[in-house]
Amino acid sequence: MSKPIALISGATSGIGKATANLLAAHYRLIICGRRADRLQELQSNLPTDVKTLSFDVRDQAAVFAAIDGLPEEWKAIDLLINNAGNAHGLSFIHEGDIADWDAMIDINVKGLLYVSKAVLPHMIANKSGHIINIGSIAGVDVYPKGNVYNASKHAVDAISKGMRQDLHTHGIKVSEVKPGLVNTEFSEVRFKGDKTKADKVYEGFTPLSAEDIADTIRYIALAPAHVNIADVLILPTAQATSTMVHKKA
Ligand code: NDP
Ligand code: 8X3
């Protein structure tokens, strides 16, 4: 029997890429992201059948064209990992950049909805499936200057709970993984390419790695059919809340 199919959004970097590497032993993979060159490189290193889909999750038409355009034998996706997302900026609300607000709402919230809407008809028809949404501790706590990113991850939390209520009668599991500080390209994106500023976020303590989160995702994905690990908050040992991080001087 061929392996089940997993679609991972945001597989070009960080948590999504690490998840593709860990899930390759168990799934055929559809890896997604805007950077097609990175998708191709990842595809060539993955020991499983792989399709690459390059689209911007903000572009509703592109999302549906990519997923609806999959060959028939790839359409019945068993596992959807809604991971694509980022923070854009870190500013007081009165100083925030509207383009950053639009990006966070459009990518983290609306993009997740578009991809889910494109994938769900096949799960509903099959009466089985699993959606794992990547939330954040930013969707549990709110921290100064986090405002709109916090709102986008609170939305992911509400959407995850709502999906679970609406989909459990269809045999579909919905899980949410809420990481604390993970050392990926996340802070470089937040600080618009300022690597020095980004690196400072992870100094003085041991942050989570993308592989730590991928390992949790794999555990959730491979749980027995009757078990849904619905909600996981995973933090570095040195982190207690969004703002309480024990750093060595
Ligand atoms: P990275 O910046 O390393 O990866 C982000 C991924 O999202 C990339 O693959 C990127 O691909 C994709 N992406 C971003 N914007 C778009 C878009 N418009 N269309 C399609 N894909 C997009 O960050 P992480 O791996 O850390 O982030 C992954 C998820 O984890 C995000 O949802 C983030 O909010 C969440 N998270 C991260 C934490 C952290 O501390 N790092 C903590 C808690 C949650 P490409 O640019 O090629 O399109
Ligand atoms: C990413 C973690 O604390 O930078 O969601 O918001 S944080």
Side-chain angles (χ1 to χ4, degrees), residues 56-198:
D56 187 327
V57 295
R58 283 174 288 198
D59 184 340
Q60 189 185 140
V63 170
F64 284 91
I67 294 171
D68 292 346
L70 282 164
E72 274 317 305
E73 65 275 19
W74 282 87
K75 279 193 168 140
I77 291 160
D78 300 281
L79 171 64
L80 165 62
I81 301 173
N82 277 317
N83 166 73
N86 277 117
H88 293 268
L90 183 70
S91 303
F92 290 121
I93 195 75
H94 53 287
E95 293 169 353
D97 181 330
I98 289 176
D100 285 342
W101 296 351
D102 285 345
M104 290 185 279
I105 300 295
D106 289 350
I107 298 167
N108 302 354
V109 183
K110 292 168 70 181
L112 179 150
L113 288 169
Y114 297 160
V115 174
S116 304
K117 177 88 173 158
V119 168
L120 267 168
H122 305 285
M123 291 187 176
I124 299 276
N126 289 345
K127 297 185 172 53
S128 79
H130 194 170
I131 299 176
I132 303 178
N133 292 328
I134 308 305
S136 170
I137 191 171
V140 179
D141 302 339
V142 175
Y143 52 84
K145 302 184 180 177
N147 44 66
V148 177
Y149 180 67
N150 287 126
S152 75
K153 288 299 181 179
H154 276 71
V156 172
D157 187 45
I159 290 166
S160 302
K161 288 171 178 150
M163 282 180 164
R164 198 153 46 242
Q165 292 183 14
D166 294 346
L167 296 173
H168 75 285
T169 53
H170 295 272
I172 299 169
K173 298 186 198 183
V174 180
S175 308
E176 184 183 1
V177 177
K178 301 165 177 168
L181 290 158
V182 191
N183 192 354
T184 63
E185 293 177 18
F186 177 88
S187 290
E188 264 182 83
V189 175
R190 166 169 261 173
F191 298 125
K192 304 182 191 305
D194 186 337
K195 181 116 175 59
T196 311
K197 209 167 167 185

